[in-house]
Amino acid sequence: MSERIIKTPHLPQGKVGLCALGEKYREDLEKPLQNLGITPFWLPENRAVDPRLSGHADLVLLHLGGNRVLTYLDRLPDIGLDAMKISGQGREYPADARLCACVVGRFCIHNFRISEAGIAGFERVDVRQGYAKCCTCVVDAHSVITSDEGIARAAARHGLDVLRIRPGYVDLPGFDTGFIGGTAFRISERALAFTGRLDAHPDRADIEAFLRSRGIEPVYLTDRPAFDIGSAVPLTEAEAISCP
């Protein structure tokens, strides 16, 4: 098996190999990811933003598709990424959320009044929410899960299938709650990982049914209640080598 850069953001067509996420969550997630054969690329603490969000990958790295990424980071893995380095991230919202857009197939969900200008090439789903990626779990190219009413309405208007769930029931220390998108990321063409369990979420059964109806199996990385890490950015996937 060899590896290739994932073509469509958040939607691997094979088993994820390399995945970027915050160093802050290494103690909790390194072993579970490695047990699944996933290599974490640990992102350094982001001192430009609120310390409660300093480990959130979706604030510092945005995959636009193929080898194209936007980032505030000085260093990325040497896998052939074409990285556009940007600067000027602010500590407070909305200056911290310029990259927190959610790419779903041909669509991009974000508050485009605050977006980084390099976010281009998508059909825009314009919403009021600047933390769009954190609020949105990408299931497949046509389906999302969110507790954000504005995102749910806008995504549905653009023809996306939306499961709207009740807000809350996600841990984010220092805040009343985190968000479902910040807990979740695809780890293969048929599996979506959550940082922890959804046992306490009143919509757990609906979430699992929505995933399975689309051929996606939920995977729980820890036995803790689901916690918001600002999601993760899958970068490479396994590519089968064809036999001659």
Side-chain angles (χ1 to χ4, degrees), residues 76-100:
L76 288 172
D78 186 14
I79 57 173
L81 294 173
D82 179 13
M84 180 184 294
K85 174 75 161 50
I86 62 174
S87 60
Q89 188 172 37
R91 182 182 177 88
E92 303 296 335
Y93 180 85
D96 61 345
R98 290 162 55 201
L99 291 186
C100 201

Side-chain angles (χ1 to χ4, degrees), residues 92-240:
E92 303 296 335
Y93 180 85
D96 61 345
R98 290 162 55 201
L99 291 186
C100 201
C102 184
V103 177
V104 187
R106 75 176 192 271
F107 301 99
C108 184
I109 304 169
H110 203 213
N111 180 338
F112 286 95
R113 291 170 291 283
I114 71 165
S115 297
E116 168 59 36
I119 302 175
F122 303 99
E123 184 173 334
R124 291 185 172 190
V125 180
D126 200 5
V127 296
R128 294 181 63 184
Q129 177 59 261
Y131 296 125
K133 177 61 192 76
C134 203
C135 291
T136 310
C137 171
V138 179
V139 175
D140 59 29
H142 310 286
S143 311
V144 298
I145 301 171
T146 185
S147 63
D148 186 284
E149 181 179 356
I151 289 176
R153 287 199 309 264
R157 283 199 304 269
H158 283 77
L160 290 168
D161 295 326
V162 181
L163 174 64
R164 186 180 169 202
I165 60 174
R166 279 165 278 195
Y169 310 98
V170 172
D171 187 35
L172 180 56
F175 293 94
D176 291 340
T177 187
F179 299 97
I180 191 72
T183 75
F185 51 99
R186 286 273 298 273
I187 56 173
S188 76
E189 71 276 23
R190 295 297 178 195
L192 186 146
F194 292 94
T195 56
R197 302 196 62 81
L198 298 172
D199 297 357
H201 201 296
D203 299 314
R204 175 190 174 180
D206 291 337
I207 292 168
E208 292 182 342
F210 188 79
L211 294 176
R212 289 175 174 140
S213 72
R214 286 147 179 82
I216 306 296
E217 191 67 21
V219 173
Y220 299 104
L221 297 178
T222 73
D223 288 328
R224 290 176 50 186
F227 53 102
D228 188 339
I229 64 169
S231 192
V233 184
L235 293 172
T236 68
E237 63 187 354
E239 180 180 26

